[in-house]
Amino acid sequence: MIKLADDVSSGDHVCAIPESVEHLGEIASGFVAHGLARGEKVLFFDDDGAADGLLRRMTEDGHRIDEPLRTGQLEILPEEDTRRTFRTPLPDIHAGITGKVADALDAGWTGTRITGQMHAALDPSASGTLPEYDGLLARLIRENRENLSALCTFDHVHFPDESIDIMRALHRDHLAVAGAYDDGLLRIVRLGIGHARLAGEIDHSNRPKITSLLHQALDGTLRSADAPTDIGLDMASVRFVDVASAVALVHAAEGFPSTHRLVLHRVRPRVQRILDRCGAAFSPQLAFDDDPPRLAPPAQQVR
């Protein structure tokens, strides 16, 4: 069964195969933020800096993380503890997570959700195999159907293709993947008519894709009487733009008709400095906005 990130609830055991590091951050941020909004306790298993990526993306997505971290609603299991967990006998892991679920309810949270980077299960010192750990998690969710959910992510950086194929087959529920361009360096997700979210880095390798995206977005708005006159790009997760790509963005905006603008939302200071040096500050068709783009109603959004 295919599920959307905001459809995951207690009793769900969902699998996702991220296309890139940026996609992994996008998935994890949505899953964790949804749990926090539902009043659930979230347990995140950190390894190889996964927690840093999660917190960065959640901040970029506009989710408040200070309070959940302070109250313990969002608990990040440090890397050494994560690896120690996978060296612990499976019955002890079962008892430990069962206790975490009970403690969360006692603390007033509505349930518990689990996710994180779990490739330590592949280590030779691990106390079980990857399918055995997944079977244990499935059992825990059956036993705590009203209070526990989990998102298992298997990325191509940490998991071999054979393991990914096995785990994909073992999971009944899978997280839906939004239509996107993803080259491992830059990820683009269409948010609605004339709007898209960019994450990663823009350089010569993906510059043509940005230009094509803007041309398609402009064409779509010109053909629709109800479409907004602003073409919006959410740039909160764009960490780098090379000079030639910055020039291309400025030139693309200058090619818009006078009735339309290219609006870059939530641009990082470093990226804005590059754009300004390439003429963005003097382009009447290019604007900056610190707020997220306002999207079309759900019925109009591009899926």
Side-chain angles (χ1 to χ4, degrees):
M1 181 183 298
I2 302 298
K3 287 183 171 286
L4 299 175
D6 55 4
D7 286 337
V8 177
S9 59
S10 295
D12 286 335
H13 181 193
V14 186
C15 171
I17 314 298
E19 300 171 348
S20 65
V21 173
E22 297 298 340
H23 188 201
L24 176 59
E26 177 184 308
I27 291 170
S29 174
F31 178 77
V32 171
H34 184 230
L36 297 178
R38 286 168 54 92
E40 297 174 344
K41 162 95 174 186
V42 181
L43 180 60
F44 187 90
F45 287 81
D46 188 22
D47 206 344
D48 281 355
D52 290 340
L54 168 73
L55 298 178
R56 182 194 72 219
R57 180 58 192 248
M58 290 189 72
T59 300
E60 293 166 356
D61 289 346
H63 303 303
R64 295 184 177 181
I65 57 176
D66 291 344
E67 186 67 9
L69 287 170
R70 185 188 67 80
T71 61
Q73 184 184 11
L74 173 55
E75 179 182 349
I76 296 176
L77 202 67
E79 180 176 304
E80 58 272 19
D81 292 347
T82 296
R83 296 184 179 184
R84 187 182 303 114
T85 297
F86 285 100
R87 295 194 297 269
T88 301
L90 269 63
D92 293 343
I93 297 176
H94 178 276
I97 293 180
T98 299
K100 287 278 189 182
V101 173
D103 290 344
L105 292 175
D106 290 342
W109 307 120
T110 60
T112 300
R113 60 176 55 195
I114 297 174
T115 191
Q117 185 55 259
M118 305 181 186
H119 62 272
L122 299 174
D123 192 275
S125 64
S127 58
T129 65
L130 195 55
E132 286 175 329
Y133 287 116
D134 194 72
L136 173 62
L137 186 53
R139 175 189 165 192
L140 282 160
I141 291 174
R142 286 195 304 270
E143 295 171 348
N144 299 273
R145 179 164 294 278
E146 301 300 321
N147 306 307
L148 181 62
S149 62
L151 169 65
C152 301
T153 57
F154 304 101
D155 62 276
H156 293 279
V157 174
H158 296 100
F159 294 88
D161 290 345
E162 180 181 4
S163 294
I164 291 176
D165 290 341
I166 292 172
M167 300 315 295
R168 181 188 282 115
L170 286 176
H171 286 78
R172 182 193 67 178
D173 296 333
H174 296 258
L175 204 65
V177 178
Y181 164 83
D182 196 324
D183 61 11
L185 187 66
L186 175 69
R187 180 171 175 81
I188 303 173
V189 179
R190 294 181 183 272
L191 301 177
I193 297 176
H195 291 90
R197 173 75 184 261
L198 278 57
E201 301 182 8
I202 305 173
D203 66 7
H204 67 91
S205 65
N206 47 47
R207 187 183 311 135
K209 187 66 181 181
I210 299 294
T211 303
S212 175
L213 171 71
L214 293 176
H215 288 164
Q216 292 173 9
L218 178 60
D219 183 66
T221 58
L222 290 173
R223 291 174 182 271
S224 173
D226 299 326
T229 56
D230 286 346
I231 306 300
L233 297 181
D234 189 336
M235 305 274 285
S237 297
V238 175
R239 298 184 299 277
F240 171 78
V241 176
D242 69 5
V243 171
S245 298
V247 170
L249 280 169
V250 174
H251 285 175
E254 290 173 344
F256 281 18
S258 59
T259 53
H260 289 67
R261 301 184 306 166
L262 172 59
V263 182
L264 304 182
H265 298 267
R266 304 194 296 169
V267 179
R268 295 185 177 203
R270 176 187 177 189
V271 172
Q272 177 143 9
R273 285 196 295 271
I274 296 173
L275 287 164
D276 286 342
R277 291 169 184 168
C278 294
F282 304 100
S283 176
Q285 304 306 111
L286 180 58
F288 295 92
D289 188 348
D290 291 335
D291 296 322
R294 295 181 180 180
L295 306 183
Q300 299 178 5
Q301 288 191 20
V302 178
R303 296 291 183 186

